[in-house]
């Protein structure tokens, strides 16, 4: 008998449109990333709103991945809350979630999708870059500290 945990088959993963009823599971997925200051804290109401253009990776009843695209205008959308459970990382789920978000923005006629993240290499591998072909750059002015509380 092989006791190697990597040889144990994992339940299939379903990638689908997020639903408001997924908010608690999404919140549970995000909690460790928020506590490590890798994601901003979100209220349940904010997560519910993000499910409108969000996607989940589900393994049974467990949410193992989430990403959403927030549409600001026909010109601009933002990739939000990209999180993949550590046990499911490096399996392509993050890339699939990003692709779903980009496809949603494209289907809505959005021109550009921005991403603010500490995962620079990953996002660059998904096609994001620091400037657009016509050399636009995003600059930021911080008015107040970011909240890192657990909402």
């Amino acid at each position: 008998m092989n006791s190697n945990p990597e040889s144990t088959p994992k339940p299939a993963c379903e990638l689908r449109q997020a639903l408001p009823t997924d908010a608690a599971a999404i919140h549970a997925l995000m909690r460790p990333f928020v506590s490590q200051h890798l994601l901003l804290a979100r209220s349940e109401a904010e997560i519910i709103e993000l499910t409108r253009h969000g996607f989940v990776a589900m393994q049974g009843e467990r949410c193992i991945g989430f990403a959403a695209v927030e549409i600001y205008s026909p010109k601009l959308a933002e990739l939000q809350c990209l999180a993949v459970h550590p046990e499911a990382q490096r399996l392509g789920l993050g890339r699939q979630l990003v692709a779903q978000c980009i496809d949603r923005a494209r289907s809505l006629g959005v021109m550009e999708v921005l991403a603010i993240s500490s995962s620079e290499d990953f996002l660059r591998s998904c096609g994001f870059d620091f400037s657009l072909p016509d050399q636009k750059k995003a600059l930021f002015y911080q008015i107040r500290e970011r909240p890192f509380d657990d909402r």
Side-chain angles (χ1 to χ4, degrees):
M1 182 201 263
N2 188 347
S3 63
N4 181 355
E6 290 182 17
S7 66
T8 306
K10 294 193 180 343
C13 177
E14 175 193 14
L15 202 68
R16 64 166 170 77
Q17 168 74 49
L19 302 170
T21 55
D22 295 323
I26 293 167
H27 206 258
L29 169 70
M30 289 177 55
R31 195 170 294 119
F33 295 98
V34 170
S35 68
Q36 296 172 49
H37 298 237
L38 296 172
L39 287 177
L40 292 177
R42 304 287 180 152
S43 68
E44 189 168 334
E46 288 171 314
I47 292 173
I48 289 170
E49 180 61 30
L50 286 171
T51 63
R52 180 175 180 200
H53 299 297
F55 301 89
V56 290
M58 300 296 290
Q59 202 168 50
E61 296 294 313
R62 185 173 159 219
C63 180
I64 60 169
F66 176 70
V69 62
E70 186 169 357
I71 310 299
Y72 296 133
S73 73
K75 293 182 183 177
L76 184 64
E78 181 180 356
L79 182 67
Q80 301 257 335
C81 299
L82 175 60
V84 175
H85 191 281
E87 293 175 8
Q89 290 178 3
R90 306 214 180 279
L91 300 175
L93 289 177
R95 190 173 311 285
Q96 291 175 46
L97 289 164
V98 169
Q100 290 282 347
C101 289
I102 291 170
D103 287 347
R104 173 63 56 88
R106 181 180 290 115
S107 74
L108 295 171
V110 174
M111 186 183 308
E112 301 166 353
V113 177
L114 74 94
I116 300 170
S117 174
S118 59
S119 302
E120 172 186 327
D121 292 338
F122 171 74
L123 288 171
R124 288 178 70 104
S125 76
C126 291
F128 286 82
D129 208 339
F130 289 107
S131 62
L132 294 170
D134 56 0
Q135 299 303 308
K136 292 181 184 176
K137 292 181 178 21
L139 304 171
F140 298 89
Y141 185 96
Q142 186 170 5
I143 295 174
R144 62 183 176 86
E145 291 292 318
R146 290 174 173 247
F148 287 113
D149 60 338
D150 287 328
R151 287 195 240 177

